[in-house]
Amino acid sequence: MRFWIVTIRHACRNMLLTWKAQGMTLFTVSLSVLIFSFFYLVYINALHVGEKLGDDLRLVVYLDEEPAPPLQEEYRRRILKFDQVDRIEFIGQEQAYKRFEQILGKNSDVLAGVPIDFLPASIEVYPVRTLDSLARIKRFSDYLQTMPGVIKVQYGKEWIERFYAFIQLMRIITLLSGSLLIMTTTFMVAHTIRLTLFARQQELELLRLVGATNNYIRTPFLLEGALQGGIGACCGLGALLLLYNWISLQFAGPPTTMSLPTFAFFEWPVVVAIIGLATLLCIVGSFSAIRRFLHL
């Protein structure tokens, strides 16, 4: 117990000795966590939107003739061979005609004299609503086009490709901001610890001469790095929460008939993971500086 009391006291004294560098390090860590967590929050909310897509996420396979039951089973087998799907619906020509008639509503009289079989039979394929399915939907469409008797495959190509491009962009930005978080935290903490080591070089040499162990010398600096990472991460996430609440207030208003996606903040396990990651990175930066300087 006494060891940890002394360790905490030394860590606090180290931070006071180099308070300017400590402040800059905390600001850098906080900003890095804020940037990373912001883009990560947008990314995971976009994924949730993708998983809640409605019937727009479907492929309509138009056939040259209405398939008999054995051929339907063959189509089903081939579709499932490529990928798992939510469901497969076979739409006959008569059913397609009735659907079109319902869409026209009061104007359905324009179909007078039009044969019931003027619309082609089709297969409606509903992929599993995940980002992976969204990424494979173009290849899925190309695969369905190769099946015998297929005239055309249609899906919401334009908006799906734009949505997927946005997801990919957010993934890249999140990875880049994560790399920035790793580099800045480890570098800044290592630099700050070096300043502390230079300031206390003679004192540390005396401690080693009187028999202080490596752990006794090293632990306060590791604790200092952990404090920088933990406090910086909490400040960054706190700033993100304030930004999130401000944006939520800007978009808050009376309920409308439009169905807008609901954006949510991080759950507690994610918050703890981000704080833990930042703390660990700062400890790594601190350990690197100590090992190089003291040759421990």
Side-chain angles (χ1 to χ4, degrees), residues 12-24:
C12 293
R13 188 178 65 169
N14 292 344
M15 297 179 77
L16 289 174
L17 283 173
T18 55
W19 64 270
K20 291 183 180 179
Q22 298 288 345
M24 182 60 66

Side-chain angles (χ1 to χ4, degrees), residues 180-196:
L180 175 68
L181 172 65
I182 293 172
M183 290 187 293
T184 53
T185 51
T186 53
F187 173 79
M188 286 299 297
V189 170
H191 176 70
T192 304
I193 295 298
R194 287 192 191 99
L195 291 179
T196 307

Side-chain angles (χ1 to χ4, degrees), residues 120-237:
S122 62
I123 309 172
E124 293 184 352
V125 182
Y126 294 82
V128 179
R129 296 168 190 173
T130 62
L131 184 63
D132 290 336
S133 296
L134 200 65
R136 292 194 299 268
I137 198 165
K138 176 64 170 62
R139 290 190 290 116
F140 202 179
S141 173
D142 295 338
Y143 171 78
L144 295 174
Q145 189 71 56
T146 62
M147 295 194 304
V150 174
I151 302 173
K152 182 182 179 181
V153 179
Q154 195 173 41
Y155 64 98
K157 180 179 179 181
E158 185 175 348
W159 79 264
I160 286 177
E161 288 184 350
R162 287 182 179 179
F163 181 76
Y164 181 67
F166 172 74
I167 291 292
Q168 290 296 89
L169 176 63
M170 293 309 303
R171 176 180 286 176
I172 292 171
I173 293 176
T174 303
L175 290 174
L176 291 176
S177 60
S179 302
L180 175 68
L181 172 65
I182 293 172
M183 290 187 293
T184 53
T185 51
T186 53
F187 173 79
M188 286 299 297
V189 170
H191 176 70
T192 304
I193 295 298
R194 287 192 191 99
L195 291 179
T196 307
L197 289 169
F198 278 117
R200 297 186 56 202
Q201 185 174 9
Q202 292 183 348
E203 180 183 345
L204 294 175
E205 290 295 333
L206 289 174
L207 286 174
R208 298 184 72 176
L209 288 174
V210 297
T213 62
N214 291 341
N215 285 335
Y216 183 85
I217 298 174
R218 183 166 47 199
T219 303
F221 296 101
L222 295 179
L223 180 60
E224 181 182 342
L227 289 173
Q228 289 171 337
I231 296 172
C234 290
C235 291
L237 288 171

Side-chain angles (χ1 to χ4, degrees), residues 20-187:
K20 291 183 180 179
Q22 298 288 345
M24 182 60 66
T25 301
L26 285 175
F27 175 77
T28 304
V29 173
S30 301
L31 185 61
S32 300
V33 170
L34 174 62
I35 294 171
F36 167 74
S37 56
F38 172 79
F39 287 112
Y40 185 57
L41 181 64
V42 174
Y43 175 68
I44 62 174
N45 276 284
L47 290 183
H48 291 158
V49 170
E51 292 173 357
K52 296 176 181 178
L53 293 173
D55 290 343
D56 290 329
L57 186 57
R58 65 173 177 174
L59 299 103
V60 182
V61 184
Y62 294 103
L63 306 173
D64 56 3
E65 62 180 5
E66 194 166 329
L71 186 55
Q72 289 183 11
E73 289 302 317
E74 178 64 19
Y75 279 133
R76 190 184 301 274
R77 186 187 65 81
R78 290 197 177 199
I79 292 170
L80 294 175
K81 182 179 179 182
F82 181 86
D83 198 4
Q84 291 294 322
V85 297
D86 191 17
R87 68 181 189 273
I88 301 171
E89 293 183 5
F90 291 90
I91 309 299
Q93 291 176 296
E94 184 178 352
Q95 186 178 353
Y97 180 89
K98 289 180 179 178
R99 276 188 176 185
F100 189 45
E101 191 176 33
Q102 290 176 354
I103 292 172
L104 291 175
K106 296 179 180 179
N107 300 318
S108 60
D109 54 349
V110 300
L111 296 176
V114 177
I116 294 180
D117 60 351
F118 87 101
L119 290 172
S122 62
I123 309 172
E124 293 184 352
V125 182
Y126 294 82
V128 179
R129 296 168 190 173
T130 62
L131 184 63
D132 290 336
S133 296
L134 200 65
R136 292 194 299 268
I137 198 165
K138 176 64 170 62
R139 290 190 290 116
F140 202 179
S141 173
D142 295 338
Y143 171 78
L144 295 174
Q145 189 71 56
T146 62
M147 295 194 304
V150 174
I151 302 173
K152 182 182 179 181
V153 179
Q154 195 173 41
Y155 64 98
K157 180 179 179 181
E158 185 175 348
W159 79 264
I160 286 177
E161 288 184 350
R162 287 182 179 179
F163 181 76
Y164 181 67
F166 172 74
I167 291 292
Q168 290 296 89
L169 176 63
M170 293 309 303
R171 176 180 286 176
I172 292 171
I173 293 176
T174 303
L175 290 174
L176 291 176
S177 60
S179 302
L180 175 68
L181 172 65
I182 293 172
M183 290 187 293
T184 53
T185 51
T186 53
F187 173 79

